[in-house]
Amino acid sequence: MRMKPPLSASMPRPGRGSQLLACAIWLVMMLVGALPVHAQTAIWTKSGSGLWSDPLNWSSPPWLMDSPRDIVFNIANSYTVDSALSLVDIRSLRVQAGDVRLRWPESGGNWHITVQQLDINPNATLRLRDVEMVIDATGHSQYDPIYTSWLRDESRLFLENAGLNLIMGRLRYAGSPLIEGHGYIWANDIHKGRSFDDTGSYLDDGWLTIRSSGGNLEIKTYSLDADLIVANGTRLMLNHPAASARVEVGGVVTLEGGELSTNSGLILGDLVGNGILRSSGSFYDFIGGGIQAAGSLGTLSDILAVGADRVELISTS
């Protein structure tokens, strides 16, 4: 009795060409999977104010794009972008020109924007009104320049009951930018970074200025390279993430009738102006005047020796 060959034996064996083709397809798939995913760019094209959710205001509607997405504002006008979307998640937000206000138009709540990088060009302005912006580059090295957020020379960031929270990533500045308003800034550190102008020259001059206005401003950080201005009728709160540690301020603190307070401790440079120092921590260190004040924060004559016109000291410790 003649036996029927097994099915596998009756099937044609693949030739060497077929095997090479299969290997090539597999290799291409592996290489494609390993390539980085390039961000898609959405550019605001309307010359004036409008809704974030209106597709006619964009070169391409960002909510129809696959992640990651880059948002660009480059029109040299003053305008407001309102959003009815409470949550927006993008890779980067770049203000290349103009005066742009991102605003939550409702009477309550906030617009929550999560980005991996924020970049404001020289002489450009970004205003956040009832916005909580989280900068989160988790999964990437905080030293990677792609995920470093920048305030360029003469750029301006205004907080109008708004917050800037750097969970992962660095905030660097070049030249003399300005942060002003009321709300909060939480960042591990805010330092001068290496940046270059249009001619390729290194920008080393200048200093960041942070000014409280319109209400209270809280800055939670380890160290800060900036001049601080505390406007009349406002409070600027400098707090360390660890309540038992001190925040080191590398610039001049000017009191314009306002109050500088801390719940941890401060290392200050020069102190000028007229206002109030309040501490629930244990000490202030004044580097500019070469004095240290502990417990009761020293005496008024000590503070006047640093350069302040009039400072009222209040300790709650």
Side-chain angles (χ1 to χ4, degrees), residues 216-233:
N216 297 334
L217 176 64
E218 180 191 10
I219 302 175
K220 184 181 291 185
T221 186
Y222 293 92
S223 59
L224 180 65
D225 284 344
D227 291 334
L228 303 180
I229 302 175
V230 189
N232 186 33

Side-chain angles (χ1 to χ4, degrees), residues 9 13 22 54 80 95 98 154 163 174-175 188 197-198 221 225 285 297:
R13 293 181 178 273
D54 187 346
T80 297
V95 182
E154 301 297 332
N188 286 343
D197 62 16
D198 294 338
T221 186
D225 284 344
D285 290 352
L297 304 182

Side-chain angles (χ1 to χ4, degrees), residues 24 27-29 32-33 36 60 103 107 140-141 144-145 147 160 170 180 194 247 252 255 264 277 294 304 306 310 316:
L27 181 60
V28 169
M29 293 176 64
V32 170
S60 298
R103 181 178 65 180
S107 57
H140 305 279
S141 171
D144 188 336
Y147 298 100
E160 303 169 359
R170 301 186 301 168
E180 181 172 340
R194 296 189 64 86
V247 179
V252 177
L255 301 177
S264 50
L277 292 175
L304 295 178
V306 178
R310 184 192 70 81
T316 58

Side-chain angles (χ1 to χ4, degrees), residues 28-281:
V28 169
M29 293 176 64
M30 293 296 292
L31 289 175
V32 170
L35 290 175
V37 178
H38 295 286
Q40 300 182 70
T41 301
I43 302 173
W44 182 267
T45 55
K46 188 175 181 179
S47 60
S49 302
L51 291 174
W52 177 285
S53 57
D54 187 346
L56 298 179
N57 295 334
W58 298 95
S59 60
S60 298
W63 57 90
L64 297 180
M65 295 179 173
D66 295 330
S67 297
R69 292 160 293 198
D70 290 330
I71 303 297
V72 174
F73 296 98
N74 59 11
I75 297 176
N77 291 335
S78 297
Y79 52 95
T80 297
V81 178
D82 288 332
S83 176
L85 303 172
S86 60
L87 299 174
V88 172
D89 190 350
I90 55 182
R91 193 195 75 85
S92 71
L93 191 149
R94 304 176 187 276
V95 182
Q96 297 179 345
D99 187 327
V100 185
R101 172 182 277 109
L102 301 183
R103 181 178 65 180
W104 175 253
E106 305 297 330
S107 57
N110 296 94
W111 183 4
H112 299 267
I113 302 176
T114 300
V115 302
Q116 294 177 349
Q117 184 196 41
L118 172 67
D119 199 327
I120 306 178
N121 269 18
N123 300 304
T125 298
L126 175 63
R127 303 174 189 270
L128 302 178
R129 174 71 179 271
D130 295 324
V131 172
E132 293 183 351
M133 179 173 289
V134 175
I135 300 177
D136 187 0
T138 299
H140 305 279
S141 171
Q142 63 174 326
Y143 301 105
D144 188 336
I146 296 177
Y147 298 100
T148 297
S149 293
W150 279 97
L151 302 176
R152 310 288 180 176
D153 188 28
E154 301 297 332
S155 66
R156 294 164 296 275
L157 173 62
F158 289 95
L159 303 177
E160 303 169 359
N161 189 36
L164 188 66
N165 183 7
L166 276 83
I167 294 179
M168 179 62 72
R170 301 186 301 168
L171 181 59
R172 294 291 180 261
Y173 69 87
S176 302
L178 169 70
I179 299 176
E180 181 172 340
H182 55 283
Y184 67 86
I185 303 170
W186 297 344
N188 286 343
D189 55 62
I190 303 174
H191 287 167
K192 182 179 294 188
R194 296 189 64 86
S195 185
F196 300 87
D197 62 16
D198 294 338
T199 66
S201 300
Y202 174 50
L203 289 172
D204 190 32
D205 296 333
W207 200 251
L208 170 66
T209 299
I210 300 178
R211 185 176 189 270
S212 62
S213 66
N216 297 334
L217 176 64
E218 180 191 10
I219 302 175
K220 184 181 291 185
T221 186
Y222 293 92
S223 59
L224 180 65
D225 284 344
D227 291 334
L228 303 180
I229 302 175
V230 189
N232 186 33
T234 70
R235 175 187 294 178
L236 197 157
M237 297 165 282
L238 275 177
N239 296 321
H240 196 283
S244 60
R246 295 173 291 178
V247 179
E248 183 172 356
V249 180
V252 177
V253 177
T254 302
L255 301 177
E256 296 181 339
E259 177 181 310
L260 178 66
S261 70
T262 182
N263 64 8
S264 50
L266 298 177
I267 302 176
L268 299 179
D270 292 327
L271 175 68
V272 298
N274 184 326
I276 296 174
L277 292 175
R278 183 188 299 270
S279 174
S280 58

